[in-house]
Amino acid sequence: MFVFVVFVVLVCYYEFMSKGIDDLAEVIDSLLDVDPSELTDDELHELVTAVQRQRHRLAALAATTISAWDRRMVWADNGARSAATRLANETSASTSSTGVEVRRARQLRSMQATAAALAAGELSPDHVDLLAKANRPWRNAVFADHENTLVEQ
């Protein structure tokens, strides 16, 4: 009985996850159909800033999933030499950009307030990367004491 319940839960979870990605793709498709030349200046401004905030939120989602994928070394199951290389090969991105993504995901593991602000769309990935430069091993305790203040500024 327990195995059946776990199986059902996993199937439902994967269906939910797949539907979420499908829904996201559908929303992006509908936004791509918007002709910016037909928007008023105020509408265009709102769209531009809203899209940027949602990109920040998607960066948080990417960091969360990349972090788990990296920590479990899923990337190594095909013989890849690094997470960044595997991600680059499978997403048509450069290893330098995927390296940034993997590094950000790793850094956010110890930066809860920063991760929350990114997920809320309040910080950009660039700001996260800047804060991560301040969160070095020899400063971890000091950073942790002041992270909330740094995020709020």
Side-chain angles (χ1 to χ4, degrees), residues 100-112:
V100 168
E101 295 281 334
V102 171
R103 185 171 39 260
R104 182 181 303 128
R106 290 173 180 163
Q107 291 166 327
L108 282 171
R109 291 174 188 161
S110 66
M111 300 169 64
Q112 280 70 41

Side-chain angles (χ1 to χ4, degrees), residues 45-92:
H45 175 78
E46 284 301 313
L47 181 59
V48 166
T49 57
V51 167
Q52 290 303 309
R53 280 191 295 276
Q54 296 310 311
R55 286 182 63 203
H56 302 338
R57 297 186 69 216
L58 283 171
L61 174 60
T64 301
T65 57
I66 290 169
S67 178
W69 179 75
D70 177 51
R71 183 169 274 167
R72 290 169 32 189
M73 295 184 68
V74 175
W75 55 266
D77 69 3
N78 74 344
R81 299 181 89 159
S82 74
T85 299
R86 171 95 183 252
L87 192 56
N89 288 341
E90 295 191 18
T91 61
S92 300

